[in-house]
Amino acid sequence: MKPISTFTVSSDLPGALAPLRDLALNLRWTWRRQTVDLFRSLDPRAFAASGENPIAMLSQVSAGRLAEAARDDDFLARMRSEVGDLRTYLDSGRWFQRTVPGTQGDGDGSSIAYFSMEFGISPTLPIYSGGLGILAGDHLKSASDLGVPLIAVGLLYQWGYFSQSLDRSGWQQEDYRLNDPERLPVEPVLAADGEQLRVAVTLPGEREVAIGVWKAQVGRVPLLLLDTNVAPNDEQAREITDRLYGGDHEHRIVQEIVLGIGGVRAVEAFTALSGAPSPTVFHLNEGHAGFSGLERVGRRMEDGAGFSEAVAEVRAGTVFTTHTPVPAGIDRFDASQLRSYLDADGSGLSRLIPSLPVEAALALGIEEGGDVFNMAQLGFRIAQRSNGVARLHGAVSRAMFQDLYPGFEVPEVPIGSVTNGVHRRTWTSAHMDDLFKKALGDVDVSSLSDWSALATLTDHELTETRDALRADLVDMAREHVKESWLRRGADEAELAWTDHILDPRALTIGFARRVSTYKRLTLMLSDPERLKRILLDEDRPVQIVVAGKSHPADRPGKEFLQQLVQFADDHGVRHRIAFLPDYDIRMASVLIAGSDVWLNNPIRPEEASGTSGMKAVLNGGLTFSVSDGWWDEMKDDSAGWTIPTAEVADQAQRDAIEAEALYEILEQSIVPLFYERDARGMQRGWMTKVRSSLVKVAPQITAARMVRDYVTDLYLPASRAASAFVADPALAGEFTAWKAGVQDAWSGVSVAGVHLEGVADGSVPTGAEITLVADVELGGLGDADVLVEAVLGEIGTGEEIIDPQLIPLQRGEDGRWTARFALTAPGEKGCTVRITPQHPVLASRAELGLVTTA
């Protein structure tokens, strides 16, 4: 019979167990095994049923079990131990406090605001889609471990990203699940009146949108999550934060307005309420948060600064990270759309951001031609310091955005790089973590640069661990494949075969990432019959486990995914290839740990960095990759295999050549080494390679290293630059006036003549010194306003100077500029003279895009 009403029964925590809620609300439990074990031991069934979500499980534990636990001295002692450990973790000085002068104790009164469209911290907080979010989550965790004073800002999506399944033909299906804040590890930030803190943005038509502020605590780092699904918003406004990467351009613009503009306002309100230090540095993780810079410019203008002065101040304290090596990955909007949202009043000032001049603000992101607003260009123009996410990606980005810095060669474009990393404690399996502790001790391994002690791990220890991790992966894959087939419409009676797919002893290759065309999921299918022979070899079988989602609007990516699923279904290899739908952090932790080899074969150089392979390395997996992303700078033949890149223009031909190389390396190198055994049955050669990977590669790929690099190379210089403006209120005006003067005078700056003394008949003996003399016109500028340099280097193809050496010239008493230097290496050399502006505020000689050469 049907009920006349429904209701939910939930349990209340006894007072003795109240600390469990505090433990559940700090997401440090996601990387601390002992806390997870504590929650699991409370009620294993409820823990599993909740999706291993401590907040959700607490209300599901029976009152009887809670009462029993409240009387259990052993349980209470473990709980108190975990609470004490968390308090020590939160209160103790860490790397940042020990390393950065003036930050002991409560710090130096400043912090970093870190903006990202998504954060992948735990499946219990489903506000991420893939690599960008996972990277952001690992950034927060490592910033917490290192004691970096960081406040993060994102969006609390009502539906998050989609859940993935397949239909009978293998076509991706998307389903969205509602995020109930009551079941999420978040709390409302409370204002002084006890109500949830709200900020607001005003959209065209004087339509005010309220934004509720939630907080997820990630160790020491507060993550502020913005939510428009609040009263008194209308239905349209409530849907702004409905889905991650959903909707059209209009929807994306409004989401990014909420993130950037609403985020700055939320940070200001939160720090005022909590007493946390206000940020001096704003880090934009991709261009989605670019509007935060415009909001900060508007605020400075409200305080009386001019537009140029405000931009100079905001730039000084802003860091921008670009994650895409291809133009198609950049948010680009119709300029007229942005113009309507900035909503100028009769004086040309924005109603969205008070005091901001609309056309001047638009000019920061307008592409040449004036019709398109580019969020990456806004990022570079609003941030004085920027970076790609691997060395190769930094080089690609410098070439992509060279036009923003006219007159400068690609190597001098001021875009650096900080190579991505992964949070070791999150991504190292329990089995492997035990080996780390055995070899290195119970210390924060990420703080160590020397992991050579891992070379002492024995073949037996590594084999035992790798076999256990592979078996875990096989068990998980069997469960997921069976569930997937049930959702595809199969009857359980016909799925007995799913209990026997994969072999816990066979060479296992993992491939999991967002399924887009440039990542070439189907490269392995280039020769189906050859792949089939490799998979079905009776003596040396190979198996492949694949996972990943394609963006709902990416039809070519979906077609790639379908091709792989259909190959597994139709070629008699479904026991050797498993596709696992609905890839998430929990699935990834088992897949990356259980794979013997991690395959990565994107089109070089279209992979910005990639981090999934890094996670495999931490678990003793070996890398099999194109020389792209992070592997390009860390590749080592003793630690993995590199698929050569075909230097041909035709993509089909390139795919064919690289697929052939993939098969060849797999058949001739990887498979034989994996199945090679010594007299004791040990994989001596394979485990030697595993140890090499752990010792040489693993220390370089931690997010702790990454965050330390951000602090040292970007955050601290940005903080000092921003503080200079605070310390000297006149600096912004002085710098702006100087810049305007330089720009006005630059047409009169020239190199009138260059003379080389010590060069006879165009020849110089090796080791001889020569003197360069230049006549320079400065057009009214002073010597201190410019940097005059000799540009010296070898002559390459196209008669260009390559890999130039820059040698400063000094003005002599006769008014001429000179430099003296020795030529130590033989070869054809070229030399010229150039002039660039210089000022203490500038972070790069290319920043103003002004250069004059002889």
Side-chain angles (χ1 to χ4, degrees), residues 272-294:
L273 280 170
S274 65
S278 297
T280 54
V281 176
F282 286 72
H283 184 177
L284 315 183
N285 190 42
E286 254 307 340
H288 308 125
F291 296 131
S292 65
L294 300 185

Side-chain angles (χ1 to χ4, degrees), residues 108-122:
D108 65 353
S110 64
S111 63
I112 299 100
Y114 181 91
F115 287 71
S116 184
M117 198 75 166
E118 52 176 302
F119 288 91
I121 298 162
S122 163

